[in-house]
Coordinates of all heavy atoms in Angstrom, one line a residue:
N414 N -17.0 -4.5 9.7 CA -18.1 -4.6 10.6 C -18.5 -6.1 10.8 O -18.8 -6.6 11.9 CB -19.3 -3.8 10.2 CG -19.1 -2.3 10.4 OD1 -18.3 -1.9 11.2 ND2 -19.9 -1.5 9.7
T415 N -18.4 -6.9 9.7 CA -18.7 -8.3 9.7 C -17.7 -9.0 10.6 O -18.0 -9.9 11.4 CB -18.7 -8.9 8.3 OG1 -19.8 -8.2 7.6 CG2 -19.0 -10.4 8.3
Y416 N -16.4 -8.7 10.4 CA -15.3 -9.3 11.2 C -15.5 -9.0 12.7 O -15.5 -9.9 13.5 CB -14.0 -8.8 10.7 CG -12.8 -9.2 11.6 CD1 -12.5 -10.6 11.6 CD2 -12.1 -8.4 12.4 CE1 -11.4 -11.1 12.4 CE2 -11.0 -8.8 13.2 CZ -10.7 -10.2 13.2 OH -9.7 -10.6 14.0
H417 N -15.8 -7.7 13.0 CA -16.0 -7.4 14.4 C -17.2 -8.1 15.0 O -17.2 -8.4 16.2 CB -16.1 -5.9 14.6 CG -14.7 -5.2 14.6 ND1 -14.5 -4.0 14.2 CD2 -13.5 -5.8 15.0 CE1 -13.2 -3.7 14.3 NE2 -12.6 -4.8 14.8
A418 N -18.3 -8.3 14.2 CA -19.5 -9.0 14.7 C -19.1 -10.4 15.1 O -19.5 -11.0 16.1 CB -20.6 -9.0 13.7
Q419 N -18.2 -11.1 14.2 CA -17.8 -12.4 14.5 C -16.9 -12.5 15.7 O -17.0 -13.4 16.5 CB -17.0 -13.0 13.3 CG -17.9 -13.2 12.0 CD -17.1 -13.4 10.8 OE1 -15.9 -13.1 10.7 NE2 -17.7 -13.9 9.7
V420 N -16.0 -11.5 15.8 CA -15.1 -11.5 17.0 C -15.9 -11.4 18.3 O -15.7 -12.1 19.2 CB -14.1 -10.3 16.9 CG1 -13.4 -10.0 18.2 CG2 -13.1 -10.5 15.7
R421 N -16.9 -10.5 18.3 CA -17.7 -10.3 19.5 C -18.5 -11.6 19.8 O -18.5 -12.0 20.9 CB -18.7 -9.1 19.2 CG -19.6 -8.9 20.4 CD -20.7 -7.8 20.1 NE -20.1 -6.5 20.1 CZ -20.8 -5.3 20.2 NH1 -22.1 -5.4 20.3 NH2 -20.2 -4.2 20.2
D422 N -19.1 -12.2 18.8 CA -19.9 -13.4 19.0 C -19.0 -14.6 19.5 O -19.4 -15.3 20.4 CB -20.5 -13.8 17.6 CG -21.4 -15.0 17.7 OD1 -22.3 -15.0 18.5 OD2 -21.2 -15.9 16.9
R423 N -17.8 -14.7 19.0 CA -17.0 -15.8 19.4 C -16.3 -15.6 20.7 O -16.0 -16.6 21.5 CB -15.9 -16.1 18.3 CG -16.4 -16.6 17.0 CD -16.8 -18.0 17.0 NE -15.7 -18.9 17.4 CZ -14.6 -19.2 16.7 NH1 -14.5 -18.7 15.5 NH2 -13.7 -20.0 17.3
L424 N -16.0 -14.4 21.1 CA -15.2 -14.1 22.3 C -16.1 -13.8 23.5 O -15.6 -14.1 24.7 CB -14.2 -13.0 22.1 CG -13.1 -13.2 21.1 CD1 -12.1 -12.0 21.1 CD2 -12.4 -14.5 21.2
L425 N -17.3 -13.3 23.3 CA -18.1 -13.0 24.5 C -18.3 -14.1 25.5 O -18.2 -13.9 26.7 CB -19.5 -12.5 24.0 CG -19.7 -11.0 23.9 CD1 -21.1 -10.7 23.5 CD2 -19.4 -10.3 25.2
P426 N -18.4 -15.4 25.1 CA -18.6 -16.5 26.1 C -17.3 -16.7 26.9 O -17.3 -17.4 27.9 CB -18.9 -17.7 25.2 CG -19.4 -17.2 23.9 CD -18.6 -15.9 23.7
L427 N -16.1 -16.1 26.4 CA -14.9 -16.5 27.1 C -14.3 -15.3 27.9 O -13.3 -15.5 28.5 CB -13.8 -16.8 26.0 CG -14.1 -18.0 25.1 CD1 -13.0 -18.1 24.0 CD2 -14.2 -19.3 25.9
V428 N -15.0 -14.2 28.0 CA -14.5 -13.0 28.7 C -15.6 -12.5 29.7 O -16.8 -12.7 29.5 CB -14.0 -11.9 27.8 CG1 -12.8 -12.3 27.0 CG2 -15.2 -11.4 26.9
D429 N -15.1 -11.8 30.8 CA -16.0 -11.2 31.7 C -15.4 -9.9 32.2 O -14.2 -9.6 31.9 CB -16.4 -12.1 32.8 CG -15.2 -12.7 33.5 OD1 -14.2 -12.1 33.6 OD2 -15.4 -13.9 34.1
G430 N -16.1 -9.2 33.0 CA -15.6 -8.0 33.6 C -15.1 -7.0 32.7 O -15.7 -6.7 31.6
A431 N -13.9 -6.4 33.0 CA -13.3 -5.4 32.2 C -13.0 -5.8 30.8 O -13.1 -5.1 29.8 CB -12.0 -4.8 32.8
A432 N -12.6 -7.1 30.6 CA -12.3 -7.6 29.3 C -13.5 -7.7 28.4 O -13.5 -7.4 27.2 CB -11.7 -9.0 29.4
R433 N -14.7 -8.0 29.0 CA -15.9 -8.0 28.3 C -16.3 -6.6 27.9 O -16.7 -6.4 26.7 CB -17.0 -8.7 29.2 CG -18.3 -8.9 28.5 CD -19.4 -9.5 29.4 NE -20.6 -9.9 28.7 CZ -21.6 -9.1 28.5 NH1 -21.5 -7.8 28.9 NH2 -22.6 -9.5 27.8
D434 N -16.2 -5.7 28.8 CA -16.5 -4.3 28.5 C -15.7 -3.8 27.3 O -16.1 -3.1 26.4 CB -16.3 -3.4 29.7 CG -17.3 -3.7 30.8 OD1 -18.3 -4.4 30.6 OD2 -17.0 -3.4 32.0
W435 N -14.4 -4.1 27.4 CA -13.4 -3.7 26.3 C -13.8 -4.3 25.0 O -13.9 -3.6 24.0 CB -12.0 -4.1 26.7 CG -11.0 -3.6 25.7 CD1 -10.4 -2.4 25.6 CD2 -10.5 -4.4 24.5 NE1 -9.6 -2.3 24.5 CE2 -9.7 -3.5 23.8 CE3 -10.8 -5.6 24.1 CZ2 -9.0 -3.9 22.7 CZ3 -10.1 -6.1 22.9 CH2 -9.3 -5.2 22.2
L436 N -14.1 -5.6 25.0 CA -14.5 -6.3 23.7 C -15.8 -5.6 23.1 O -15.8 -5.3 21.9 CB -14.8 -7.7 24.0 CG -15.4 -8.5 22.9 CD1 -14.5 -8.7 21.7 CD2 -15.9 -9.9 23.4
L437 N -16.8 -5.3 23.9 CA -18.0 -4.7 23.4 C -17.7 -3.3 22.8 O -18.2 -3.0 21.8 CB -19.1 -4.6 24.5 CG -19.6 -5.9 25.0 CD1 -20.5 -5.7 26.3 CD2 -20.5 -6.6 23.9
E438 N -16.9 -2.5 23.5 CA -16.6 -1.2 23.0 C -15.8 -1.2 21.7 O -16.1 -0.5 20.8 CB -15.8 -0.4 24.1 CG -15.5 1.0 23.7 CD -14.7 1.8 24.8 OE1 -14.4 1.2 25.8 OE2 -14.4 3.0 24.5
R439 N -14.8 -2.1 21.6 CA -13.9 -2.1 20.4 C -14.5 -2.9 19.2 O -13.9 -2.8 18.2 CB -12.6 -2.8 20.8 CG -11.8 -1.9 21.8 CD -11.0 -0.8 21.1 NE -10.6 0.2 22.1 CZ -11.2 1.4 22.3 NH1 -12.2 1.8 21.6 NH2 -10.7 2.2 23.2
T440 N -15.7 -3.5 19.4 CA -16.3 -4.2 18.3 C -17.6 -3.5 17.8 O -18.4 -4.0 17.1 CB -16.6 -5.7 18.6 OG1 -17.4 -5.7 19.8 CG2 -15.4 -6.5 18.7

Side-chain angles (χ1 to χ4, degrees):
N414 287 343
T415 300
Y416 175 66
H417 279 154
Q419 289 167 346
V420 169
R421 180 183 284 198
D422 183 52
R423 294 282 307 284
L424 296 187
L425 265 181
L427 299 176
V428 294
D429 53 28
R433 185 179 189 276
D434 295 341
W435 181 86
L436 172 66
L437 291 170
E438 185 179 356
R439 294 280 164 255
T440 53

